[in-house]
Amino acid sequence: MSQVRSMIVVVLVVPAVIAFSLWAFLWPSARLAPRDLPLGVAGATAAVAPVKAQLEEREGAFEVHGYPDAAAARTAIKEREVYGAVVVTDRGPRLLVASAAAPTVAQLLTESLGERDGRTVPTEDVVPLPENDPRGTALNSSALPMALAGIAMGAAVSTLGLRGLRALVTVLAAAAVIGLVAAAVTDSWLGALAGDWWAEAGAFALAALAGGATVAGFAALLGPAGIGLGALVIMLLGNPFSGVTSAPQLLPEPVGTLGQLLPPGAGGSLLRSVAYFDGHGVAGPLATLGVWTVLGLALVLLGPVLRARPTADASAAAGAPA
């Protein structure tokens, strides 16, 4: 009977997992479109009114923010309040974008707003990507290795039998080394990041730590099944829903919001902020990664105790006199 069950698992469960994986990775990418994408409009109130009306006609596509002039719009872009802005001047409109915020969004704005009345609208890249990585490939590609690093770290701690304080110290130390190595590769070697080196290393380390602590904590509480649950959260949900390769506001809802509440999405947003925007916009990602880290490490310390308690209660009940 056990072999029959194993055959059923292979024939039914494995294809179901593959189908779920395909859905998680392909569906968001196939439905990319602006959804309440923060976009600025700058200029005199009377001049920008027609532009605002035109943007608002695309119901649900843009979240329009008004600014008095181009300088205020540039500041908003650099502080990650908006992805770009349309500046209305006496000579006509101008378009401000930030390829470092999301190359996909910058291209989308250029294609959809970069032409007016048959003429090309002058476009300025306020926060460009580094010359060594003009397409942002390095940062976009970092989400998967960080997710794998977290899963591998947590699985190794559990498989090697590390428990309690030793497991906690191991996870912290491994995450710190991962952060240093990742910053050395992406910044020092490839020159693909443009922020403070130590801040980038910290962002990489915290992203790996949140994932590793989550997997190790689930494993401490649930045993080997916890590794699978952690991998499901980090890899099959967190990675495709992260929006790192596009933008959270381009993903279908609630995927865009959910992705920012999971370690890969929060880690990608944190790294982008410290690498290109001088740390603006780090509060939300830091809070998300901090919550996952604290909860994971708490389970690493308390999981074995919580897991052993039901067993002890069952043994006591079995040994009690009728």
Side-chain angles (χ1 to χ4, degrees):
M1 182 62 69
S2 61
Q3 292 186 349
V4 174
R5 290 179 179 175
S6 299
M7 292 171 62
I8 294 175
V9 168
V10 173
V11 173
L12 297 181
V13 176
V14 173
V17 173
I18 297 300
F20 179 82
S21 302
L22 289 172
W23 169 81
F25 278 87
L26 299 182
W27 175 63
S29 300
R31 295 292 185 269
L32 290 180
R35 296 171 175 86
D36 292 326
L37 184 75
L39 180 66
V41 177
T45 303
V48 302
V51 178
K52 280 187 175 183
Q54 182 181 5
L55 292 174
E56 290 171 353
E57 287 178 359
R58 307 182 186 187
E59 186 175 353
F62 298 107
E63 180 184 281
V64 181
H65 298 251
Y67 299 100
D69 50 37
R74 286 191 183 90
T75 300
I77 293 172
K78 293 178 180 180
E79 294 181 355
R80 302 208 69 185
E81 294 179 5
V82 293
Y83 281 91
V86 178
V87 180
V88 182
T89 68
D90 296 337
R91 299 180 180 180
R94 296 172 55 197
L95 179 62
L96 306 180
V97 299
S99 58
T104 305
V105 173
Q107 181 180 358
L108 182 149
L109 293 178
T110 302
E111 291 176 352
S112 60
L113 304 176
E115 185 175 338
R116 186 178 179 85
D117 298 330
R119 293 181 297 177
T120 301
V121 175
T123 302
E124 176 186 351
D125 195 344
V126 177
V127 187
L129 286 161
E131 293 182 0
N132 291 334
D133 188 25
R135 298 181 180 179
T137 305
L139 190 146
N140 293 347
S141 302
S142 68
L144 179 58
M146 289 301 101
L148 291 174
I151 295 172
M153 185 199 315
V157 166
S158 176
T159 303
L160 295 175
L162 299 176
R163 298 290 183 269
L165 187 59
R166 290 183 178 179
L168 186 146
V169 171
T170 301
V171 170
L172 290 173
V177 174
I178 289 171
L180 295 175
V181 171
V185 172
T186 55
D187 191 321
S188 302
W189 179 32
L190 298 177
L193 304 181
D196 179 79
W197 195 95
W198 290 103
E200 293 164 359
F204 278 122
L206 188 54
L209 176 60
T214 299
V215 175
F218 286 163
L221 180 64
L222 304 174
I227 298 177
L229 178 60
L232 172 67
V233 172
I234 302 300
M235 180 58 67
L236 294 186
L237 293 179
N239 192 58
F241 295 173
S242 66
V244 172
T245 58
S246 54
Q249 292 84 359
L250 296 184
L251 300 179
E253 287 296 344
V255 166
T257 301
L258 176 61
Q260 295 305 296
L261 298 177
L262 297 175
S269 295
L270 175 63
L271 179 60
R272 193 178 296 278
S273 290
V274 300
Y276 304 131
F277 293 90
D278 296 326
H280 291 291
V282 301
L286 278 176
T288 299
L289 294 173
V291 169
W292 281 101
T293 299
V294 171
L295 291 179
L297 294 180
L299 287 178
V300 168
L301 294 175
L302 303 177
V305 177
L306 298 174
R307 187 181 176 190
R309 181 172 296 176
T311 303
D313 294 341
S315 300

